[in-house]
Amino acid sequence: DVKVTQSSRYLVKRTGEKVFLECVQDMDHENMFWYRQDPGLGLRLIYFSYDVKMKEKGDIPEGYSVSREKKERFSLILESASTNQTSMYLCASSLDRGEYQPQHFGDGTRLSIL
Amino acid sequence: AQSVAQPEDQVNVAEGNPLTVKCTYSVSGNPYLFWYVQYPNRGLQFLLKYITGDNLVKGSYGFEAEFNKSQTSFHLKKPSALVSDSALYFCAVRDIKDTNAGKSTFGDGTTLTVKP
């Protein structure tokens, strides 16, 4: 079974802090994704990556950056956290660029910015 | 551009009754379609997908979905609902022409509540 592990289930940070959210997958997947989930807004794609050191902006990249130095790890960075970034963050991975491959999700990090 | 709509925020059914969770999509080419389920405090889990072929797709936990190209719909169904089916359901679409790394567009989700 594919396992996508997010380093923290719950995280509380202060406004202006630099925040790192880590995600690791164990199935050698090429593609990795970061989403935020807010009530009534569904899943919104922040960034994705299809290879090591490659990244592409999703629908809401402002205020975020990402890093993918190793294939199995995809980090989301909040450069200067703000209260409107309080949300549930979900990481996902999928195999190759195969269009029919589903995404596998971690259990999420619930981030609160005070 | 691709988009997906789940017209119902909430669906309520009684245990043992059939359930339907609706999804419509828009793509410029042909679609790949997915359903996922999310239980409280968990990530999304893949249920089923439509790629090509038979319009009726069977998936996990007794769920199935029917692809209707003329109506651009991909409704999720189950003949007999269980209380344990209560969860948040997401429909997702990819345009075959979109080569962006398996990137899908998700609907806003539908909360299914099955009452005993």
Side-chain angles (χ1 to χ4, degrees):
Chain A
D1 254 5
V2 176
K3 190 152 180 68
V4 179
T5 303
Q6 295 184 230
S7 55
S8 304
R9 292 298 304 273
Y10 301 93
L11 207 53
V12 180
K13 296 292 183 180
R14 296 205 173 272
T15 302
E17 280 192 70
K18 190 169 186 176
V19 180
F20 294 85
L21 302 184
E22 306 288 346
C23 175
V24 176
Q25 49 93 4
D26 66 357
M27 284 300 291
D28 205 35
H29 283 175
E30 285 79 6
N31 304 326
M32 296 190 75
F33 308 83
W34 274 107
Y35 297 90
R36 63 177 284 176
Q37 181 179 14
D38 301 288
L41 296 178
L43 265 66
R44 292 182 291 168
L45 182 64
I46 303 171
Y47 268 97
F48 65 101
S49 168
Y50 55 86
D51 203 349
V52 175
K53 297 191 186 295
M54 305 304 292
K55 60 184 179 184
E56 291 204 24
K57 293 179 180 179
D59 301 316
I60 53 163
E62 296 79 18
Y64 304 93
S65 62
V66 290
S67 173
R68 194 164 180 203
E69 296 297 319
K70 293 185 178 181
K71 191 174 186 180
E72 67 269 20
R73 185 180 297 270
F74 193 36
S75 302
L76 179 70
I77 304 156
L78 286 65
E79 297 289 344
S80 177
S82 64
T83 55
N84 63 12
Q85 293 177 309
T86 291
S87 186
M88 169 70 90
Y89 290 86
L90 292 170
C91 176
S93 71
S94 69
L95 182 66
D96 197 26
R97 297 194 189 197
E99 294 84 352
Y100 51 87
Q101 299 301 322
Q103 295 181 20
H104 300 265
F105 285 81
D107 283 339
T109 295
R110 190 168 292 281
L111 176 64
S112 296
I113 306 296
L114 305 179
Chain B
Q2 57 196 31
S3 65
V4 63
Q6 294 180 240
E8 299 158 317
D9 291 337
Q10 182 113 17
V11 171
N12 298 311
V13 297
E15 188 174 31
N17 282 1
L19 70 86
T20 299
V21 182
K22 295 179 180 178
C23 172
T24 59
Y25 66 89
S26 174
V27 295
S28 57
N30 289 318
Y32 295 126
L33 292 154
F34 304 85
W35 275 103
Y36 294 83
V37 60
Q38 185 181 32
Y39 298 102
N41 298 315
R42 301 296 302 275
L44 279 67
Q45 297 176 32
F46 167 69
L47 273 180
L48 51 79
K49 65 185 179 188
Y50 171 81
I51 305 301
T52 186
D54 195 347
N55 289 342
L56 187 63
V57 178
K58 294 188 184 298
S60 306
Y61 311 122
F63 284 94
E64 56 191 27
E66 187 168 11
F67 172 66
N68 187 317
K69 188 171 184 177
S70 62
Q71 297 185 6
T72 62
S73 67
F74 189 56
H75 300 331
L76 181 70
K77 300 182 180 185
K78 188 172 183 182
S80 179
L82 300 172
V83 172
S84 58
D85 293 329
S86 299
L88 182 57
Y89 290 81
F90 288 95
C91 182
V93 66
R94 278 211 63 216
D95 191 330
I96 286 177
K97 293 181 179 179
D98 185 352
T99 57
N100 266 333
K103 176 174 169 279
S104 296
T105 298
F106 288 79
D108 289 345
T110 298
T111 299
L112 172 68
T113 302
V114 181
K115 298 190 176 179

